[in-house]
């Protein structure tokens, strides 16, 4: 990351939640609130005009919800990382948001320091969710057999090296850690990651981890 401030877009239909987030993030020197929206329908235009690094997205909104807005963002070039805000961590909608391209999720009562850490990690393309949290979520939300088989079919298309990197991602490893484990350069890991994400048709490493867990 560069030394410039990270730009964050807040999307929540509750003005009190937005005010709380704005106040909290406003006290962090390297973060700036680039804009706010109260409905997912506003997100695409605001992302184009404010160019945030990270979107903090409410999961449930009366208009366009966070899942739909995240899916719409995924198709844009240079889309920002999305972290969904939710009240419940074991919710099938959380898993749907991760499948749609969200980098992770945070509970609305998460301590401020943890929200800030999640924003920084998402902006850097690093793991936002711990492997245990992701595995627990997928275990709680039963994966249909057709989705499990689809995940297995996609993973079968990977080379042995790509599969090893995907497995390391599912364990929460960073690119640097994967490089050390597999005796590769970080640049080589990034190249493999780009190729395997294209084969799996996913937008980020969280979706890679979701597929790995769903295939089990």
């Amino acid at each position: 990351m560069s030394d410039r401030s990270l730009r964050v877009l807040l999307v929540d239909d509750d003005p009190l939640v937005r005010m709380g987030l704005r106040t909290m993030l406003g006290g962090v020197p390297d973060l700036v609130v680039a804009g706010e929206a109260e409905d997912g329908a506003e997100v695409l235009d605001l992302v184009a005009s404010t160019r945030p690094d990270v979107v903090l997205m409410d999961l449930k909104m009366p208009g366009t919800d966070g899942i739909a807005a995240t899916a719409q963002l995924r198709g844009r070039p240079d889309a920002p990382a999305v972290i969904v805000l939710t009240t419940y961590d074991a919710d099938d909608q959380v898993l749907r948001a991760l499948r749609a391209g969200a980098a992770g999720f945070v509970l609305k009562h998460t301590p401020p320091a943890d929200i800030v850490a999640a924003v920084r990690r998402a902006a850097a393309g690093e793991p936002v969710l711990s492997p245990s949290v992701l595995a627990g979520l997928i275990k709680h939300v039963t994966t249909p057999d057709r989705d499990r088989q689809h995940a297995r079919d996609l993973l079968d298309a990977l080379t042995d090296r790509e599969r090893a990197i995907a497995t390391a991602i599912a364990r929460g490893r960073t690119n640097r850690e994967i490089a050390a484990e597999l005796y590769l350069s970080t640049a080589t890991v990034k190249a493999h990651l780009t190729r395997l994400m294209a084969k799996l048709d996913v937008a980020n490493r969280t979706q890679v981890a979701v597929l790995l867990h769903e295939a089990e």
Side-chain angles (χ1 to χ4, degrees):
M1 293 298 301
S2 66
D3 292 333
R4 73 174 181 84
S5 295
L6 296 177
R7 298 173 61 78
V8 183
L9 176 64
L10 308 179
V11 185
D12 198 296
D13 63 313
D14 188 337
L16 291 179
V17 171
R18 295 200 309 273
M19 181 178 68
L21 289 169
R22 183 172 64 250
T23 300
M24 176 193 64
L25 298 176
V28 181
D30 63 328
L31 301 182
V32 61
V33 175
E36 299 181 27
E38 61 181 8
D39 190 278
E42 305 171 40
V43 170
L44 291 181
D45 287 343
L46 272 175
V47 165
S49 62
T50 64
R51 305 182 67 81
D53 300 288
V54 178
V55 178
L56 281 176
M57 180 94 72
D58 188 17
L59 191 57
K60 299 179 180 180
M61 291 176 281
T64 301
D65 64 21
I67 299 170
T70 298
Q72 291 169 0
L73 275 178
R74 177 189 168 191
R76 296 176 65 108
D78 300 322
V82 176
I83 300 175
V84 294
L85 299 167
T86 181
T87 305
Y88 305 103
D89 57 351
D91 190 321
D92 66 321
Q93 290 195 314
V94 173
L95 185 53
R96 287 173 59 202
L98 297 177
R99 287 172 176 158
F105 71 91
V106 294
L107 299 179
K108 289 192 176 182
H109 60 264
T110 297
D114 291 342
I115 293 179
V116 170
V119 167
R120 288 173 175 154
R121 292 178 72 83
E126 296 178 355
V128 175
L129 296 176
S130 71
S132 61
V133 168
L134 184 56
L137 172 63
I138 293 175
K139 182 178 180 180
H140 178 84
V141 181
T142 304
T143 300
D145 288 342
R146 65 180 184 278
D147 292 337
R148 181 174 292 107
Q149 187 57 53
H150 178 62
R152 290 172 177 172
D153 290 343
L154 287 173
L155 293 171
D156 284 344
L158 301 181
T159 65
D160 290 343
R161 178 68 77 192
E162 290 166 348
R163 184 63 179 260
I165 291 174
T167 300
I169 288 171
R171 299 202 312 268
R173 301 294 191 265
T174 64
N175 288 349
R176 182 175 298 178
E177 290 169 339
I178 295 172
E181 289 179 4
L182 299 181
Y183 302 100
L184 301 171
S185 69
T186 302
T188 299
V189 170
K190 289 180 179 178
H192 280 301
L193 180 56
T194 298
R195 285 194 292 271
L196 75 87
M197 287 172 60
K199 287 184 178 181
L200 299 178
D201 189 26
V202 297
N204 56 45
R205 60 200 306 129
T206 299
Q207 287 182 305
V208 175
V210 167
L211 273 176
L212 263 290
H213 286 296
E214 287 186 328
E216 294 176 352

